[in-house]
Amino acid sequence: PLPLPLSPKMIHSDTFKDEIASAPLPSYKITKLLPHHQEQSQLQFAPRAIKLNSWSFALDTHEQKDVFVVGHMDGAFECFNYEDFANVEQISRVDRHDGNAIQDIHFLASNRGTVSSDSSGSILFYDLEKDKTRLKIKDAHDGNTSVHKVLELEEDHIFASGDENGIVKIWDTRLKGCIRTIDEHADEITGLMYNEDSGALYVSSADGSVSHVEIARRDTSVDKAKKLSKKKRKFAPPPQGPTSSQSHAADNASGKSKLYLSSEYRAKLYDISKPSMKKNYTSVVDMLQGSAIICGITSGYIDVYNYGMLYHSARGVRLEAEPIEHLLFLKENIFCAISAKGSLNAFTLTKDKQQFEVDLAQHIGEHEEGVTSCALDSEGKFVITVGNDQYVRFFDTRDVFGLSISHEEEDVADEEEKRDDEADRTGDAEELHPANNESSMVHHTNLATTETRSEFSTKSASSRKRANYLEPTVHKKKKKRK
């Protein structure tokens, strides 16, 4: 609204027409003028792209909040809040990697801090709430080897890391040391994927092999776990040579027995596929509740493995004409494949007996100049990517799950307005005609049921079950009222 009333002379003057023509239209008028297609949905229901000040190779999203973290090439990482789509703000910036490029970064399960790795071989555990370093392991992989991947496994203190030489290490931060080293891969580690239900850690390598490492407790006793977390236990060194028993007794007598780390968790190599020089795995994802493992290949194919049968030959399925750089889990049977040129496509994976079928579900979007890292947000609404163009982009994935949220939210708002208007009308009608009370109650019940269905359709599967449980109770009440 204009601050002062205008006279007809002012409205028809040339200067006023020029000011009106140059003035920007309000955002809501712009969206109303746009046609109903995918671009309008992204403009209304997704944040705009964010320009970064440095190259970035790592990105992760918070499990509970609309927050993501980006690791930069200059050794710093930044946290952003995108709750307000029109104003994405930077929350914090941390520089603790001494100028070394951050290779990977993740939020911790406690949602209070992050774990990150850099090109110098350091692993940093940082507490965002207290704004201080919780633990930093320097030269985690011997010889200042670059640590390409790091991932939390169990209980905020069991972690896995993989370097450029194909070495995988399992860490216990309470003991501040490595509890297991796996050196079965001949080339760099390109992906780490952990299934909490089965305790399976899947590792993909550039040598064309994928391994399955089993993470499990040694003892389920809580008291023993607490004791192990408070102190380190001493073990005698393994026997070496014919005189090992004599030297071992001499070392114990002199107090020189070695100190070995012990944790209630153990890591065991369960299965590994045969390496292939023709393949170069870039990422790994488990699908169908862990019954299938898929690996992306630089040739544009994916290899699909059965659970527990990695040693058998995998079935190759061609997805893209370009190399597949990233695979991202979206749903139980839906995953996203990102090509080297930044094309995002959603695919469905189905299993019939021992045969797998892969079908294209939907094209999600394009991130120009390629994607360096990606993640799915906490509610599954967006795929967030960071690319070589130094932009962070948001891609709406709700249509992939069969939910047209952009139009559904408008329909819910219209239903609420109609319900309020109808409530006012029926309220006046009840005073004049009490006999119409029964029909008005039935009409209100139908509107409430429609609103409940529209709301629950945008939520998770567990909430849909609650919706299906609540709907019959509404109908029962309606019958009792009749």
Side-chain angles (χ1 to χ4, degrees):
L2 297 174
L4 295 174
L6 300 176
S7 62
K9 293 183 180 180
M10 293 177 63
I11 294 176
H12 293 287
S13 63
D14 295 335
T15 57
F16 182 76
K17 290 181 179 180
D18 295 338
E19 292 178 358
I20 291 296
S22 60
L25 291 174
S27 59
Y28 68 90
K29 288 188 177 180
I30 294 176
T31 55
K32 290 295 182 182
L33 293 175
L34 288 175
H36 290 283
H37 53 77
Q38 188 175 4
E39 293 183 0
Q40 181 188 3
S41 175
Q42 292 184 359
L43 282 173
Q44 289 182 344
F45 301 104
R48 296 183 178 180
I50 304 171
K51 177 65 175 178
L52 302 175
N53 297 324
S54 177
W55 302 98
S56 302
F57 303 119
L59 181 144
D60 192 34
T61 55
H62 199 276
E63 293 184 357
Q64 298 178 357
K65 302 178 181 179
D66 293 336
V67 176
F68 69 90
V69 59
V70 183
H72 299 305
M73 189 176 179
D74 58 3
F77 62 86
E78 297 176 317
C79 295
F80 293 87
N81 188 331
Y82 59 94
E83 184 177 1
D84 184 4
F85 291 173
N87 183 23
V88 179
E89 59 178 353
Q90 176 184 334
I91 302 176
S92 62
R93 177 182 172 87
V94 179
D95 190 356
R96 295 291 189 277
H97 281 277
D98 303 327
N100 300 304
I102 296 178
Q103 301 294 319
D104 199 9
I105 189 168
H106 291 282
F107 281 105
L108 300 178
S110 60
N111 297 317
R112 296 183 301 178
T114 59
V115 54
S116 55
S117 63
D118 61 30
S119 57
S120 69
S122 297
I123 300 177
L124 175 68
F125 300 89
Y126 195 81
D127 193 329
L128 293 174
E129 290 186 353
K130 298 180 180 179
D131 194 19
K132 68 176 184 179
T133 300
R134 172 180 158 188
L135 175 66
K136 186 173 184 180
I137 305 174
K138 295 183 178 180
D139 196 14
H141 290 243
D142 302 332
N144 293 328
T145 305
S146 177
V147 180
H148 286 187
K149 296 294 178 180
V150 63
L151 185 65
E152 179 184 9
L153 304 181
E154 290 285 349
E155 297 189 2
D156 201 22
H157 58 265
I158 305 297
F159 295 84
S161 61
D163 63 17
E164 60 183 354
N165 295 329
I167 306 298
V168 177
K169 290 189 175 184
I170 311 299
W171 302 86
D172 192 331
T173 57
R174 299 170 306 173
L175 306 176
K176 299 181 180 180
C178 175
I179 61 176
R180 179 65 192 271
T181 300
I182 301 171
D183 56 353
E184 299 293 335
H185 299 281
D187 207 341
E188 65 171 317
I189 302 301
T190 57
L192 295 176
M193 179 72 185
Y194 184 64
N195 190 320
E196 296 181 1
D197 297 331
S198 61
L201 171 65
Y202 298 103
V203 183
S204 63
S205 174
D207 64 355
S209 65
V210 57
S211 61
H212 172 189
V213 181
E214 188 182 41
I215 308 295
R217 278 183 180 270
R218 296 181 183 273
D219 193 347
T220 57
S221 173
V222 179
D223 296 334
K224 185 176 180 180
K226 290 181 179 179
K227 291 179 181 178
L228 288 171
S229 65
K230 294 181 180 179
K231 65 179 182 179
K232 299 177 181 179
R233 302 180 65 186
K234 292 184 179 182
F235 291 90
Q240 296 179 359
T243 59
S244 59
S245 59
Q246 298 177 1
S247 60
H248 171 57
D251 290 340
N252 287 336
S254 60
K256 296 181 179 179
S257 58
K258 294 184 179 179
L259 188 65
Y260 289 88
L261 300 178
S262 177
S263 173
E264 75 271 21
Y265 281 93
R266 62 177 177 83
K268 179 182 178 181
L269 182 63
Y270 182 79
D271 195 6
I272 186 170
S273 66
K274 297 179 181 179
S276 175
M277 299 301 296
K278 298 180 180 179
K279 300 178 181 179
N280 185 351
Y281 286 161
T282 58
S283 54
V284 60
V285 173
D286 67 329
M287 302 290 296
L288 304 178
Q289 297 181 352
S291 63
I293 298 94
I294 58 176
C295 299
I297 312 176
T298 53
S299 60
Y301 282 74
I302 63 168
D303 277 352
V304 185
Y305 292 91
N306 275 304
Y307 174 79
M309 302 177 64
L310 299 182
Y311 55 90
H312 289 288
S313 58
R315 182 195 173 191
V317 181
R318 185 167 186 176
L319 301 184
E320 304 282 352
E322 307 162 1
I324 296 177
E325 294 292 337
H326 305 278
L327 291 177
L328 186 62
F329 175 85
L330 299 182
K331 201 179 178 182
E332 178 183 352
N333 64 329
I334 303 177
F335 66 93
C336 175
I338 304 178
S339 66
K341 292 186 178 180
S343 177
L344 285 76
N345 294 312
F347 295 88
T348 59
L349 178 67
T350 57
K351 184 177 181 180
D352 184 11
K353 295 182 179 179
Q354 296 297 326
Q355 297 294 328
F356 292 100
E357 294 183 2
V358 180
D359 297 316
L360 176 63
Q362 185 176 344
H363 176 69
I364 298 177
E366 300 282 341
H367 192 135
E368 298 178 357
E369 300 184 19
V371 175
T372 57
S373 185
C374 60
L376 186 68
D377 78 327
S378 59
E379 298 181 358
K381 295 180 179 179
F382 308 111
V383 171
I384 307 177
T385 60
V386 58
N388 295 320
D389 56 357
Q390 298 185 13
Y391 272 94
V392 175
R393 302 185 185 277
F394 299 80
F395 297 92
D396 195 343
T397 59
R398 288 171 288 187
D399 292 337
V400 177
F401 306 122
L403 300 175
S404 56
I405 304 298
S406 57
H407 305 298
E408 196 167 291
E409 290 181 355
E410 296 178 357
D411 296 337
V412 171
D414 295 337
E415 287 291 340
E416 290 178 355
E417 293 180 0
K418 291 180 181 179
R419 186 189 64 182
D420 295 338
D421 295 338
E422 193 67 26
D424 296 338
R425 295 175 185 175
T426 52
D428 298 337
E430 287 175 2
E431 295 178 359
L432 298 176
H433 305 283
N436 295 333
N437 190 16
E438 182 179 354
S439 62
S440 64
M441 286 192 295
V442 174
H443 185 66
H444 283 301
T445 305
N446 294 333
L447 286 175
T449 306
T450 304
E451 181 184 2
T452 304
R453 290 175 180 172
S454 61
E455 290 178 354
F456 278 104
S457 62
T458 63
K459 297 183 180 180
S460 60
S462 60
S463 58
R464 290 176 195 164
K465 292 181 181 179
R466 292 195 297 269
N468 296 331
Y469 174 76
L470 290 174
E471 285 178 7
T473 58
V474 175
H475 291 294
K476 288 180 180 179
K477 289 183 179 180
K478 184 175 67 174
K479 291 181 180 180
K480 289 182 180 180
R481 289 178 182 177
K482 283 185 179 181

